[in-house]
Amino acid sequence: MTMETLTVRVRAVEPVADIVNTYELVDPDRRPLPPFTAGAHVDVHVPGGPIRQYSLCNDPRDHDRYVVAVQREDAGRGGSKLLHAEIQPGKTLTISFPRNNFPLFETAKSHLFIAGGIGITPIMAMMMRLRALGADFHLHYCSRVPERTAFLKRLGAEFAGKVTFHFDGGDPSRGLDVKGLLKEIRPGTHLYCCGPGGLMKAVKNASDHWPPGTVHFEYFSVDATAPKGGNTAFEVEIASSGKIYAVPADKSIMQVLRDNGHGIDSSCEEGICGTCATPVKSGDIDHRDMVLSDEEKKSNRWMMVCCSRAKVGKIVLDI
Ligand code: FES
């Protein structure tokens, strides 16, 4: 991994629900931090652990702090447990610069958000931005029980009339009627969803008939249920040098490029963060990432070389 990083100091840690803490991050010398846009995330290098992506949930007008919210996943891969256990005010962390794979379409007539659980985090920043713009928006916030609902009080106080809570007690059939909500297309409205895989899938299925480019998802884990083709071997060519490398079925393009001395930035290495986006000149690509929109995938101008492959033949990378 060769990407540029920032060192930040944890100024405050606050519980915002059962098993959810916010972490306020500032520059150690109190300088302004690089700006971010609503929907952006940073990669957090968990000390002694993995790199994890967390959305910035504060107001994008804040120039001196980033705030992330972390839900402790006891059955997860360890990053959130380590953060909850080890990170106290005063500690320093290494993070990436903010990146945004989930931007707001600010010129839309109105905005409809569906958040599930900790998927509320990017949407907090998006709603603050829309409030500053005086734009029309509404959030449907799905959660199991109020005690586990991050930012519950704050949303009720600051966004009264703009939020509908749906508590299902753990039984999705008692939760939001996604199909009913999305049945009618609302002209000029953009739909944004972030949450667990089941909710994202339900929203995707229920919004299939919405106009292209109006429905947006933010993934923080790979959809294990997504169909994946078997891997086959193919070739990758570097446009600037004309060099051609064989990519065997058991290696990614990223691995092959690194084996041959090409530095490729990466973070998640599973198609969810967008760090390894690489321009493409030609090729028939099997896009396997969760970052590019359907239109971007169709355009074949970029690919995530950590996970996507060629359907057949050769891919020419514009590097
Ligand atoms: Fe995250 Fe490739 S490294 S998408």
Side-chain angles (χ1 to χ4, degrees), residues 266-269 271-276 304 306:
S266 72
S267 173
C268 71
E269 303 201 358
I272 55 177
C273 74
T275 310
C276 68
M304 301 302 148
C306 65

Side-chain angles (χ1 to χ4, degrees), residues 1-7 41-46 49-54 93-101 254 258 262-270 272-277:
M1 188 194 62
T2 57
M3 87 188 144
E4 225 181 328
T5 55
L6 295 166
T7 299
H41 71 270
V42 291
D43 301 332
V44 175
H45 297 232
V46 180
I51 299 174
R52 289 283 173 264
Q53 286 73 45
Y54 293 105
L93 282 173
T94 301
I95 64 171
S96 70
F97 282 63
R99 269 196 313 278
N100 199 339
N101 301 324
M254 176 180 281
R258 285 180 175 165
H262 297 272
I264 299 285
D265 286 351
S266 72
S267 173
C268 71
E269 303 201 358
E270 52 182 10
I272 55 177
C273 74
T275 310
C276 68

